[in-house]
Amino acid sequence: MSCTSSAIHPHSAANAVELRIMATTDLHMHVLGYDYFADRPSDRLGLSRVAALIARARRTARNCLLFDNGDGLQGSPMGDYLAESDGIGPNRPHPAIAAMNALHYDAATLGNHDFSFGLGFLRRALEAAAFPVVSTNLRPLRPLPVQSHVLLERQFHDAQGRPQRLRIGVLGFLPPQTIAWEPRLKSEIAVEDILPAARTGIRALRDQGAHLVVALAHSGIGALAPAPMMENAATALAALPGIDVVIAGHTHRLFPSPDHPQGPGIDALRGTLAGKPAVMPGFWGSHLGLVDLRLLPTDDGWRIAGFACRAEPVGTEDDDPAVTGPALAVHRRTLRHFRRRIGRTERPLNSYFSLIGQDSGLRLVTMAQRWHVRHALRGTRWQDLPILSAAAPFRAGGRGGPQHYTDVPAGRLTLRNIADLYLFPNRICAIRLTGAELREWLERSAGLFLRIEPGRPDQPLIDPEFPSYNFDVIDGLGWQIDLSRPPRYAPDGRLAHGDSHRIGALTHRGRPVAPDQPFILVTNSYRLSDCGLFAPVAAGRPVLLDGALRTREVLRRYVARRRVLAPDPQMGWSFRPLPGASVLFETGPAAARHLDGLSARAEPAGMGPDGFLRLRLHL
């Protein structure tokens, strides 16, 4: 199908078909409008609130299709509880699938995190789906209720109300790195390169007479130029002849949006990738993606004569009972489970200042990791090597907004707090590194910060393109970060300034770290994959521990054993002094309650336009 215009005009051919495509992505088991980490309802998220937007969109458009773009089954305490209790089966459909059935989804694809609980769990969840699940670059080695492509035959109505039969082809894609992130799947599935799989799928759908091809791409918006095994391939995918509409996801961004970076083939205001209509509707049920198409018949099919794309945010809509009904019983069991007390903290655990070196909760995670590995390696030839522990803050603002922070008050610790401190189902691992390799690890983390000019006031500190989950700190070391130097590595891991080194004064127990000095670094299974920011440092290094225990379970055991904790919030690093320079650091508004305990020299500098509290730090 060809695309000839980007505007929908009020005067159109009488036989034009107006088609509205709706999409959700990266729901991460936020079926209900409930913030499990804060243990309270939320009007900012949840499929139950998106449902109101879906209903309104259907009321205002004659012809509609509804798709989901993957990563729906993992990511909230409800999802974890279901997987741990194995609480789904033939007579107990997965609440996310039941909700999508109730909302009459037309098709869905899979994301990498849908595999986090294993193929057996995924298979049982998908067996209850009343809609087709499509994954074009997935090759399951055993039967899975997934199709490589789907042709939807739908009867729509044109401007005069006459029926028009259209064939809508649907392709679905997940990152080819999925097996690297979940290596136990190697014997069960293969995941192919997105672009070659797409070409094969396009040919199959066109041979079946597809009038329109929609790509459900659980993949971020990246480079226009194709490259092998692209993780963020949505732009290059859109450029393929035969793709008409792209639903993007995976990176938890909004598109179209004035805040989204522009680039070759990327028009973040118009909402196009390689000139094709595209949308990425946030995450956790924060938005509904909408692509309105005007289709005109041609001698050989239909063409797109106009389109409009937007991502509509949820608001104060009521929860839809069709969604909440199937989930309420599991929701209540989840709350009972995660409210169980397992220990006590003498200090508040919050991530408001994690990106400037102070986070008691992150310190608790690194302590638990080190404790576990020390016991696991006892009696081995590695037991006398110094053990360091790396972790990153998962909830530290950024794209998640000014409420997206861990905030556990001093007092009782529950399983809910443990889930808040460690979101992802990573396994705990340990590798052997040298001092030089550790320095490179920290150089990659230091890409979080923008370059700062000495003597200039109020410069922005954080690079918004750098996600906080990649900001690893290494407990057991001390170091300084020289912000006057440009970052050695870009957020995507590319060597940006090969002659720049930000990390200085690297010490262990007060002594300088030698380049060839051996250490054990505790990290997680995601860091050991052959992709991602830290892959070049971790790849090929000796793996001393790659166990089955997930980091969150290790954290739970550590807290239960210690019972009462008071972790030091200082993470061992600081900025190198830059006389006369100050920076603006954005954090959650609730951080104002904790400024007295902040060791850095900081002062409030008002509220930012996105609802973040600005702090002025004097370097």
Side-chain angles (χ1 to χ4, degrees):
M1 178 176 287
S2 63
C3 177
T4 59
S5 173
S6 64
I8 293 179
H9 301 288
H11 303 293
S12 61
N15 53 358
V17 169
E18 308 281 354
L19 173 60
R20 172 166 289 169
I21 294 175
M22 302 175 286
T24 53
T25 192
D26 294 274
L27 291 170
H28 285 288
M29 264 310 289
H30 289 82
V31 178
L32 305 180
Y34 197 88
D35 185 341
Y36 289 96
F37 303 116
D39 201 5
R40 61 174 179 257
S42 172
D43 60 5
R44 297 172 177 266
L45 54 85
L47 181 58
S48 60
R49 299 197 188 279
V50 176
L53 303 184
I54 293 171
R56 185 161 66 236
R58 282 175 169 152
R59 286 194 302 269
T60 56
R62 177 177 291 184
N63 309 301
C64 294
L65 293 170
L66 175 60
F67 299 119
D68 183 73
N69 204 35
D71 269 9
L73 302 180
Q74 180 279 331
S76 80
M78 183 195 284
D80 296 337
Y81 174 76
L82 275 169
E84 292 165 5
S85 63
D86 201 17
I88 63 171
N91 300 318
R92 292 176 297 174
H94 194 290
I97 300 298
M100 293 170 69
N101 288 341
L103 293 172
H104 305 291
Y105 273 75
D106 290 279
T109 193
L110 300 173
N112 51 292
H113 280 295
D114 291 319
F115 295 85
S116 292
F117 301 129
L119 218 60
F121 184 85
L122 176 60
R123 182 181 294 108
R124 292 193 299 278
L126 297 183
E127 283 171 349
F131 49 87
V133 179
V134 56
S135 191
T136 308
N137 63 329
L138 173 67
R139 297 291 177 265
L141 305 182
R142 287 186 286 179
L144 193 67
V146 173
Q147 304 175 53
S148 62
H149 57 273
V150 169
L151 189 68
L152 303 175
E153 297 227 12
R154 294 290 187 268
Q155 181 171 285
F156 298 133
H157 291 85
D158 63 22
Q160 293 188 337
R162 296 172 304 191
Q164 300 283 354
R165 197 153 194 86
L166 269 73
R167 293 184 292 273
I168 313 298
V170 184
L171 303 174
F173 305 94
L174 71 157
Q177 293 77 14
T178 297
I179 293 178
W181 297 327
E182 302 286 349
R184 69 187 188 283
L185 296 172
K186 286 182 180 178
S187 62
E188 299 182 283
I189 66 172
V191 183
E192 298 177 349
D193 193 335
I194 289 176
L195 298 182
R199 294 186 184 98
T200 301
I202 292 167
R203 283 196 299 272
L205 287 172
R206 294 301 183 186
D207 288 345
Q208 294 176 39
H211 295 125
L212 182 79
V213 174
V214 178
L216 306 180
H218 191 83
S219 182
I221 296 172
L224 175 63
M229 304 299 281
M230 297 177 80
E231 177 184 352
N232 297 314
T235 314
L237 180 63
L240 294 180
I243 295 290
D244 297 301
V245 177
V246 173
I247 312 299
H250 183 53
T251 54
H252 293 196
R253 303 200 71 136
L254 281 179
F255 186 89
S257 167
D259 297 328
H260 193 286
Q262 302 277 19
I266 302 170
D267 190 330
L269 297 179
R270 183 180 172 211
T272 62
L273 299 176
K276 312 282 182 65
V279 69
M280 186 192 295
F283 63 102
W284 291 12
S286 63
H287 293 72
L288 175 67
L290 295 163
V291 178
D292 287 328
L293 302 175
R294 169 167 288 131
L295 308 177
L296 291 179
T298 65
D299 292 339
D300 57 355
W302 295 78
R303 67 180 177 89
I304 297 176
F307 62 84
C309 308
R310 69 186 188 277
E312 186 173 342
V314 300
T316 57
E317 294 84 5
D318 292 334
D319 286 315
D320 188 324
V323 176
T324 58
L328 274 180
V330 177
H331 169 68
R332 293 184 182 116
R333 293 199 300 271
T334 299
L335 293 181
R336 286 196 297 270
H337 176 72
F338 279 91
R339 285 168 178 168
R340 289 168 46 198
R341 177 179 174 177
I342 57 171
R344 180 178 180 83
T345 174
E346 298 295 310
R347 297 177 184 267
L349 310 177
N350 64 70
S351 59
Y352 295 120
F353 311 117
S354 192
L355 304 186
I356 55 174
Q358 194 164 313
D359 188 336
S360 296
L362 195 63
R363 186 64 179 273
L364 178 56
V365 171
T366 62
M367 290 163 61
Q369 292 181 159
R370 184 188 289 110
W371 167 79
H372 174 74
V373 171
R374 183 180 293 116
H375 283 275
L377 296 183
R378 187 171 293 164
T380 71
R381 61 193 178 111
W382 313 110
Q383 66 176 4
D384 295 327
L385 283 181
I387 299 176
L388 310 174
S389 186
F394 295 144
R395 281 165 45 86
R399 297 170 194 168
Q403 310 301 320
H404 191 62
Y405 291 86
T406 294
D407 191 348
V408 180
R412 66 196 300 264
L413 281 174
T414 65
L415 289 176
R416 173 176 64 86
N417 303 138
I418 299 301
D420 191 346
L421 290 168
Y422 206 94
L423 293 183
F424 296 109
N426 298 326
R427 292 173 291 105
I428 196 164
C429 302
I431 59 178
R432 185 163 62 91
L433 292 178
T434 65
E437 291 163 344
L438 288 169
R439 187 182 295 272
E440 284 299 291
W441 196 290
L442 293 172
E443 286 284 1
R444 291 175 180 272
S445 285
L448 172 80
F449 304 109
L450 298 170
R451 188 177 188 177
I452 303 301
E453 295 183 23
R456 275 189 55 202
D458 292 357
Q459 302 171 68
L461 177 63
I462 304 297
D463 183 348
E465 296 304 308
F466 195 110
S468 68
Y469 61 73
N470 270 341
F471 181 62
D472 269 11
V473 297
I474 300 180
D475 192 9
L477 294 179
W479 67 98
Q480 282 191 336
I481 299 176
D482 186 351
L483 297 179
S484 69
R485 296 178 177 271
R488 181 170 171 80
Y489 296 98
D492 62 2
R494 290 177 296 107
L495 184 64
H497 301 91
D499 58 349
S500 180
H501 296 275
R502 285 182 153 186
I503 303 301
L506 184 61
T507 61
H508 175 248
R509 295 179 178 174
R511 297 181 178 179
V513 172
D516 59 350
Q517 189 174 349
F519 292 92
I520 295 170
L521 180 67
V522 188
T523 182
N524 62 63
S525 51
Y526 180 79
R527 292 290 188 256
L528 265 60
S529 65
D530 59 2
C531 54
L533 179 64
F534 297 91
V537 193
R541 305 310 186 269
V543 178
L544 311 185
L545 176 69
D546 188 1
L549 272 184
R550 299 192 185 274
T551 307
R552 187 187 298 168
E553 173 60 16
V554 168
L555 180 57
R556 184 197 67 78
R557 294 183 183 187
Y558 180 73
V559 171
R561 183 180 181 89
R562 294 288 299 273
R563 302 297 296 174
V564 180
L565 304 111
D568 186 345
Q570 304 301 323
M571 296 305 301
W573 65 272
S574 62
F575 296 120
R576 180 173 173 267
L578 295 179
S582 66
V583 295
L584 293 178
F585 167 64
E586 293 191 333
T587 185
R593 302 194 305 264
H594 303 281
L595 291 178
D596 289 346
L598 186 59
S599 61
R601 183 186 169 199
E603 59 195 36
M607 299 296 294
D610 296 329
F612 287 92
L613 172 66
R614 285 177 172 169
L615 297 180
R616 179 178 292 108
L617 305 181
H618 297 276
L619 302 179

